[in-house]
């Protein structure tokens, strides 16, 4: 496994591989690798000739006062896990390499970036789309793999890739969960034992929406209200709960086809997000996301 820090070297290596007929897969990460990341790496490795992983904590997707400085970092451990997962190349640039002096060209996807998480994390998705567009240009992959726990991010990145005419397949992979149902996340490390117990109300409330829709309920308002009540009763600070169209992310007045239930909460100092896909989306994401 090679570790590269210079963008020009990364691009040259990737273009050389493409010229030899190799398919290049890419998994962008901010490190603090967990089982969710490993599942992306293993799938990408199995479907392509060469696997590239980035290791970069992107400052532009953190708003002032968020946890950029405190975000979990473990370069040595991340590199070990990457090698065990079969990564061929790690692109680990500095902030100066990604954002050279005078950089003034952000990338923004309008209409999808301002709602849900975007309403609470101003500028977050502009930071995500800017860094991912830059990474795509540097790494030159055929396919890029993202976890669908960050569902809104996945939708935005698909839109960005299509709008900019990038010949990159953006693949969404099912959420990986711990035995208690909590989605794997680097920020789970912030949870105390008590907080972890409280946080379980997030996937449980979303599961309640999923089961209600399967049972024939099609009016979002009472389902969303009940999910919010369950989470607040558990002691979580709820930012939003929504039942939306899977592509436009617009709120639904009635569930008549594929839909996604999403929520964001605070549990202590940990901001947690989660979602479940309903209807056809359940099949695409691997079926029932909860073990019974």
């Amino acid at each position: 496994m090679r570790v590269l820090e210079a963008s020009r070297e990364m691009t040259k290596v990737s273009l050389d591989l493409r010229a030899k007929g190799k398919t290049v897969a890419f998994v962008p990460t901010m490190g603090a690798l967990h089982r969710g990341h490993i599942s992306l790496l293993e799938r990408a490795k199995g479907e392509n000739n060469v696997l590239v992983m980035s290791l970069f904590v992107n400052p532009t997707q953190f708003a002032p006062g968020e946890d950029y400085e405190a975000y979990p970092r473990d370069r040595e451990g991340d590199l070990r896990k990457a090698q065990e997962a079969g990564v061929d190349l790690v692109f680990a640039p500095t902030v100066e390499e990604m954002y050279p002096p005078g950089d003034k060209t952000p990338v923004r996807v309008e209409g999808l970036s301002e709602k849900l998480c975007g309403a609470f994390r101003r500028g977050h998705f502009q930071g995500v789309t800017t860094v991912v567009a830059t990474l795509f240009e540097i790494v030159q992959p055929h396919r890029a793999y993202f976890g669908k726990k960050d569902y809104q991010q996945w939708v935005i990145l698909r839109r960005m890739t299509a709008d900019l005419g990038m010949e990159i397949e953006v693949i969404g992979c099912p959420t990986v969960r711990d035995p208690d149902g909590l989605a794997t996340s680097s920020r789970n490390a912030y949870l105390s034992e008590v907080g972890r117990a409280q946080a379980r109300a997030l996937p449980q409330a979303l599961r309640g929406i999923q089961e209600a829709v399967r049972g024939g309920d099609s009016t979002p308002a009472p389902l969303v209200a009940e999910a919010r009540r369950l989470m607040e009763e558990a002691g979580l600070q709820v930012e939003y709960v929504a039942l939306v169209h899977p592509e436009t992310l617009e709120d639904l007045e009635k569930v008549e086809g594929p839909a996604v239930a999403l929520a964001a909460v605070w549990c202590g100092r940990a901001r947690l997000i989660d979602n479940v896909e309903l209807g056809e989306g359940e099949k695409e994401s691997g079926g029932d996301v909860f073990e019974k």
Side-chain angles (χ1 to χ4, degrees):
M1 185 179 75
R2 296 176 61 187
V3 180
L4 307 177
E5 297 183 354
S7 57
R8 288 186 179 181
E9 184 180 10
M10 178 69 251
T11 302
K12 182 181 184 304
V13 170
S14 190
L15 290 176
D16 286 347
L17 290 165
R18 290 176 66 107
K20 294 175 182 176
K22 304 293 185 181
T23 55
V24 178
F26 179 42
V27 177
T29 83
M30 293 205 300
L33 299 187
H34 51 66
R35 290 192 305 113
H37 294 114
I38 301 305
S39 72
L40 299 180
L41 295 171
E42 290 176 345
R43 176 170 172 181
K45 181 70 175 181
E47 296 177 353
N48 302 273
N49 301 126
V50 178
L51 174 55
V52 181
M53 184 191 87
S54 63
L55 190 57
F56 178 65
V57 181
N58 176 38
T60 65
Q61 67 190 70
F62 291 81
E66 290 190 342
D67 59 342
Y68 173 67
E69 296 297 337
Y71 193 83
R73 291 168 171 84
D74 180 14
R75 181 184 169 101
E76 183 178 338
D78 289 336
L79 292 177
R80 183 179 66 254
K81 292 175 184 176
Q83 187 161 18
E84 291 171 353
V87 174
D88 299 294
L89 296 160
V90 175
F91 179 51
T94 62
V95 172
E96 293 73 24
E97 184 73 15
M98 291 298 293
Y99 298 106
D103 179 77
K104 295 183 183 298
T105 309
V107 177
R108 178 179 176 81
V109 177
E110 294 186 354
L112 295 173
S113 300
E114 301 85 4
K115 58 190 69 177
L116 302 171
C117 283
F120 294 90
R121 303 186 70 190
R122 300 292 184 180
H124 168 71
F125 286 117
Q126 178 173 298
V128 171
T129 46
T130 299
V131 76
V132 172
T134 303
L135 287 168
F136 280 178
E137 181 65 21
I138 293 168
V139 176
Q140 294 285 311
H142 293 90
R143 301 185 182 104
Y145 294 76
F146 296 87
K148 290 173 79 173
K149 176 183 76 76
D150 298 285
Y151 190 89
Q152 183 177 11
Q153 173 182 277
W154 175 66
V155 171
I156 290 170
L157 292 174
R158 287 172 64 204
R159 184 75 266 164
M160 177 197 78
T161 304
D163 288 352
L164 296 180
M166 297 178 171
E167 295 184 0
I168 300 169
E169 185 179 0
V170 177
I171 298 171
C173 301
T175 299
V176 174
R177 298 183 181 276
D178 289 330
D180 61 2
L182 203 63
T184 57
S185 169
S186 300
R187 288 187 169 94
N188 288 352
Y190 297 159
L191 295 172
S192 65
E193 185 175 344
V194 172
R196 177 99 194 184
Q198 291 176 303
R200 293 172 191 148
L202 169 57
Q204 288 168 358
L206 292 176
R207 179 181 181 181
I209 294 178
Q210 183 184 55
E211 292 182 341
V213 171
R214 286 176 178 171
D217 288 346
S218 61
T219 305
L223 301 179
V224 166
E226 176 63 7
R228 176 181 285 272
R229 184 191 69 79
L230 290 171
M231 290 187 283
E232 290 178 343
E233 207 172 65
L236 302 178
Q237 180 184 340
V238 180
E239 282 191 345
Y240 70 81
V241 189
L243 196 49
V244 305
H245 187 279
E247 294 179 5
T248 66
L249 304 181
E250 293 290 338
D251 287 326
L252 296 173
E253 295 183 3
K254 187 175 183 179
V255 181
E256 299 178 301
V260 184
L262 309 96
V265 304
W266 284 91
C267 184
R269 68 188 187 101
R271 184 180 186 275
L272 306 175
I273 61 173
D274 204 347
N275 70 83
V276 295
E277 295 177 76
L278 313 174
E280 290 300 313
E282 294 181 64
K283 298 176 183 177
E284 295 171 4
S285 65
D288 192 350
V289 295
F290 295 95
E291 295 296 331
K292 295 184 176 179

